[in-house]
Amino acid sequence: MKKTYKIEVDCANCANLMEDAARKTTGVQSATVNFMTQKMIVEFDEGQKPEDVMKNVLDACKKVEPDCEIFL
């Protein structure tokens, strides 16, 4: 399953770091962050609940960029 989320990130480098953090999160098959459109596209592993996985993605991204926002 693939979902798109609105994000708030300050710079392109931070977007890349958030993308890497999201990709390493359990339950995420792939993740792409587009700084220009302020969107994150996440594809989830089979059988994963997007709501639960995204809480972990947000936690991982906040470790990289404390003031980032992902609108779930």
Side-chain angles (χ1 to χ4, degrees):
M1 176 188 311
K2 200 181 266 193
K3 288 193 158 210
T4 302
Y5 298 92
K6 182 170 175 12
I7 63 168
E8 190 174 295
V9 61
D10 298 332
C11 69
N13 186 49
C14 296
N16 286 336
L17 294 172
M18 286 176 58
E19 185 175 291
D20 289 342
R23 284 183 179 154
K24 293 176 184 171
T25 303
T26 303
V28 174
Q29 190 172 31
S30 68
T32 306
V33 175
N34 187 314
F35 171 67
M36 296 302 290
T37 62
Q38 296 282 295
K39 291 188 177 171
M40 174 186 273
I41 301 169
V42 180
E43 187 169 356
F44 301 95
D45 288 336
E46 183 101 12
Q48 295 291 323
K49 289 186 178 181
E51 310 82 38
D52 297 338
V53 174
M54 285 308 293
K55 289 176 187 172
N56 295 331
V57 168
L58 180 59
D59 289 343
C61 288
K62 285 204 176 271
K63 288 178 184 172
V64 172
E65 181 63 29
D67 63 342
C68 79
E69 288 294 331
I70 302 173
F71 300 97
L72 306 176

